Amino acid sequence: MNAAAWGLGATVLLASIVEMVEALTIVMAMGMTRSWRSTLMGVAAALVALTAFTAAAGYALATWLPEAALQLAIGGLLLIFGLQWLRKAILRSSGQLTPPEASDAGRPTRASFDALQPAPFQT
């Protein structure tokens, strides 16, 4: 294996760990605010669905779809998203568009947090 393969493997591993931490945070939040039984049943259902989808999609991509078509589709999607991000960056740098962090319209206030009622504790 060369250095590029090791770099790709390390990058994919790091991205997977980030996603795992995000999913674990959501599961812990749901388990602590709702009930652990329904949370763990949801985790099990999600794992079954993910396994089935990955097996079906992986088989289909490996056997039925030519590699060139897959590269064309993914490249087109990357190009579309990249051009949208480039457009927003140009508009922001020219001052015609404000960054989403700069507007306080959707930001919660102290009064909105005080109005929230805490969820009842369930074991």
Side-chain angles (χ1 to χ4, degrees), residues 71-95:
Q71 289 174 342
L72 179 66
I74 292 175
L77 289 172
L78 288 173
L79 181 64
I80 290 169
F81 285 117
L83 288 175
Q84 289 176 357
W85 291 330
L86 177 64
R87 179 183 161 273
K88 285 182 183 179
I90 291 171
L91 289 174
R92 285 189 183 128
S93 66
S94 66

Side-chain angles (χ1 to χ4, degrees), residues 54-117:
T54 303
Y59 178 75
L61 288 176
T63 57
W64 296 332
L65 191 62
E67 186 177 353
L70 184 62
Q71 289 174 342
L72 179 66
I74 292 175
L77 289 172
L78 288 173
L79 181 64
I80 290 169
F81 285 117
L83 288 175
Q84 289 176 357
W85 291 330
L86 177 64
R87 179 183 161 273
K88 285 182 183 179
I90 291 171
L91 289 174
R92 285 189 183 128
S93 66
S94 66
Q96 296 179 9
L97 184 67
T98 59
E101 309 88 40
S103 74
D104 290 333
R107 193 168 290 182
T109 61
R110 176 65 190 214
S112 66
F113 282 117
D114 290 340
L116 293 175
Q117 297 294 325

